[in-house]
Amino acid sequence: MQENSEKGITTKQAKAITALLSERTAKDAAKRAGCSERTLYTWLADKDFRAALRSAEADMLDTVTRRLSAGQTLALDTLEKLIQSARHESTKLTACVSWLNMFIKYRDMKDIDERLTALEEAINNGNKK
């Protein structure tokens, strides 16, 4: 088999990783990659294959994060318009609940990040002594 020296996996395994990231089931991913489901599970037990899969998943999450960040202003503007001018009260209510839920999640995430940063600083300062 042809080796992909950069990631320690074969070209066929790289194709399987792409399929795993886009198909709903392992069976469908195996079919799309042109291998058996059993072979796919064998590859999933291999550390190099799993590392390449984790790397591909991380790349995909980075792309998703960038797209979400780029669209956040539009999404918030749309919610704000719905809150201010929707014709149906149920639409306004749904927009308000969505806005408040996002605010609470953001506030909680920011709080956790600040607390984690403080803990890391305390640990690092303790290790310097």
Side-chain angles (χ1 to χ4, degrees):
M1 275 189 181
Q2 188 178 9
E3 186 80 16
N4 180 342
S5 60
E6 187 177 321
K7 296 180 182 176
I9 61 171
T10 65
T11 302
K12 193 153 192 146
Q13 287 174 323
K15 188 174 179 182
I17 288 172
T18 300
L20 282 167
L21 295 176
S22 62
E23 297 296 331
R24 293 175 54 125
T25 66
K27 182 178 181 178
D28 291 342
K31 183 177 180 182
R32 182 170 180 187
C35 65
S36 70
E37 192 174 354
R38 183 175 181 171
T39 297
L40 184 59
Y41 281 114
T42 299
W43 290 342
L44 285 165
D46 177 76
K47 68 178 179 73
D48 289 336
F49 184 84
R50 282 193 322 273
L53 177 59
R54 279 193 301 277
S55 176
E57 289 169 336
D59 290 346
M60 181 179 264
L61 286 174
D62 287 346
T63 300
V64 168
T65 300
R66 283 191 298 277
R67 287 195 62 203
L68 287 171
S69 294
Q72 69 184 344
T73 301
L74 177 61
L76 289 172
D77 289 348
T78 301
L79 274 177
E80 192 170 26
K81 284 179 190 174
L82 287 171
I83 290 168
Q84 293 172 352
S85 62
R87 291 183 183 185
H88 302 286
E89 292 299 315
S90 62
T91 303
K92 286 183 183 184
L93 175 63
T94 300
C96 287
V97 169
S98 293
W99 187 283
L100 292 172
N101 283 334
M102 284 186 291
F103 170 74
I104 291 166
K105 286 178 185 177
Y106 174 77
R107 186 194 63 204
D108 289 348
M109 185 177 63
K110 189 171 190 266
D111 179 56
I112 290 168
D113 184 57
E114 289 171 355
R115 291 169 57 198
L116 182 59
T117 299
L119 282 171
E120 288 172 339
E121 287 175 3
I123 290 169
N124 289 335
N125 289 334
N127 288 339
K128 291 179 183 177
K129 292 180 180 180

